[in-house]
Amino acid sequence: MVHGLARNNPGARIRVLTHEPGAELVRGDPAVTEIRTPPHGRPGAEREAVALALAERRPDLAITTTRYDGIPDLLNASGARCVTDLWRNPPPDELVGTRYLRILHAEGLIAPGDLTTRPRLHLHPAELARARRRLAPHLATRTTRPPIVLIPQAGMPVKHWPLSRWRLLAQTLSRLGHLLLATDPVPGAPVTPLPRGTLRQLAALLAAIGEISGIAVGGDTGPLRLAAAVGVPTIGLFGPTSALRYGIADSTGTDLQGLPDCPHRRPTAITEQPCWWSAQCPLSPTAPACMIDIPVHHVTRAVLRLADSGEV
């Protein structure tokens, strides 16, 4: 969205108001003039930050994905042209990002070519150079097979693929000659932990891995989206969220959907699913049935298809 708006409004000052730590991902992007974050973490901080930004400089255009705390009304009262509902009437089988772009295009704010542009995170050459140096010691045992990054954690327990599956996947891929790196521990698995750091440092490490034909495997979680945004082919493991609406993969990746016919999945109202907050699945007493439904051999096959395709 940001890059499309910048392309269609050359010379415009684009201000982004968002939260930390995500704010660091757009700092230094040449399309962005200013990054603002809420001044505190107490209730009402986001509305306060919007009011302060409007008081300092009324924008010509304001776009928000935020629907709470009267923020759309606050923007509309400013006199600026506003787009305050990017969630309007979403179909269950359209990607959220695509939906946002289609609405902005319908509003005449971005060009047709922007509809098919993949998200890309801007990294500085110095950041990439540091990432390559940090990564080099971990690549000492690298073979001719592409390295694989495993991202076993997810922001919510309901999105977790069982740890035993991660362990078996790692063991299988290791036997096939792949060097395995991981963002989080996988006890009992032959994986090398990635160096810890900030989100930008993780993005740079992922980009450096992508330069040597690496592949990232993970659930519906931020770090996997970060991998895609720096050009790494991804294999996404989707359970409670629908890959048709929240998928990550482009033409060089794969999204695997567990239990596609789950009667409790609500693609356009995921927070109302009975499993969402509790991770208690109505169909399984042990773990979310949709995540259990993704077998290791399907993930292995997806990895090998990418690794052997010559596209990575």
Side-chain angles (χ1 to χ4, degrees):
M1 290 169 57
V2 168
H3 291 160
L5 290 168
R7 282 189 291 270
N8 289 277
N9 296 276
R13 293 175 54 84
I14 295 181
R15 291 185 291 169
V16 176
L17 172 55
T18 188
H19 289 99
E20 298 288 5
E24 73 175 86
L25 295 179
V26 284
R27 286 197 177 97
D29 191 310
V32 178
T33 307
E34 181 185 358
I35 307 295
R36 303 177 70 108
T37 57
H40 55 79
R42 299 186 297 278
E46 292 83 4
R47 181 183 173 88
E48 182 180 331
V50 172
L52 182 60
L54 292 174
E56 290 182 5
R57 182 189 295 267
R58 185 186 70 82
D60 296 300
L61 172 67
I63 298 171
T64 183
T65 62
T66 303
R67 299 290 299 158
Y68 60 83
D69 207 11
I71 287 175
D73 293 336
L74 192 62
L75 291 172
N76 285 316
S78 72
R81 181 182 178 185
C82 297
V83 180
T84 58
D85 188 2
L86 292 175
W87 299 93
R88 64 184 78 158
N89 303 318
D93 56 354
E94 183 177 41
L95 293 175
V96 172
T98 302
R99 181 69 176 166
Y100 288 177
L101 295 176
R102 278 212 311 120
I103 289 173
L104 292 183
H105 178 254
E107 296 275 356
L109 297 173
I110 61 174
D114 296 316
L115 296 174
T116 55
T117 302
R118 298 292 299 176
R120 283 293 178 259
L121 175 67
H122 178 80
L123 291 169
H124 299 285
E127 292 178 293
L128 283 169
R130 283 194 296 271
R132 294 183 195 112
R133 290 195 298 270
R134 294 181 73 195
L135 195 59
H138 302 283
L139 300 177
T141 58
R142 180 185 167 208
T143 70
T144 57
R145 300 292 293 171
I148 310 297
V149 179
L150 303 182
I151 305 173
Q153 293 299 314
M156 302 183 71
V158 71
K159 297 181 181 182
H160 286 179
W161 200 41
L163 192 58
S164 60
R165 303 276 180 96
W166 285 110
R167 188 180 302 113
L168 179 57
L169 176 67
Q171 292 166 348
T172 302
L173 294 176
S174 179
R175 285 196 302 270
L176 293 171
H178 291 276
L179 171 68
L180 299 172
L181 304 157
T183 57
D184 298 281
V186 184
V191 300
T192 299
L194 277 176
R196 305 295 290 182
T198 66
L199 280 179
R200 287 196 70 87
Q201 289 170 337
L202 173 60
L205 286 170
L206 291 168
I209 293 167
E211 291 175 339
I212 54 175
S213 301
I215 300 166
V217 184
D220 178 11
T221 186
L224 192 69
R225 296 181 185 278
L226 204 54
V230 295
V232 179
T234 61
I235 296 170
L237 313 181
F238 285 80
T241 49
S242 168
L244 295 176
R245 182 155 166 77
Y246 293 95
I248 299 171
D250 58 15
S251 59
T252 62
T254 301
D255 290 329
L256 301 176
Q257 179 74 68
L259 209 64
D261 296 325
C262 174
H264 301 284
R265 186 180 291 110
R266 302 187 64 184
T268 62
I270 54 177
T271 62
E272 297 176 21
Q273 294 173 184
C275 60
W276 187 253
W277 301 109
S278 66
Q280 300 299 311
C281 176
L283 304 178
S284 169
T286 55
C290 52
M291 298 306 295
I292 298 174
D293 190 54
I294 304 173
V296 172
H297 70 272
H298 281 190
V299 184
T300 303
R301 188 166 58 207
V303 171
L304 297 181
R305 188 183 303 119
L306 280 182
D308 297 332
S309 66
E311 295 178 351
V312 297

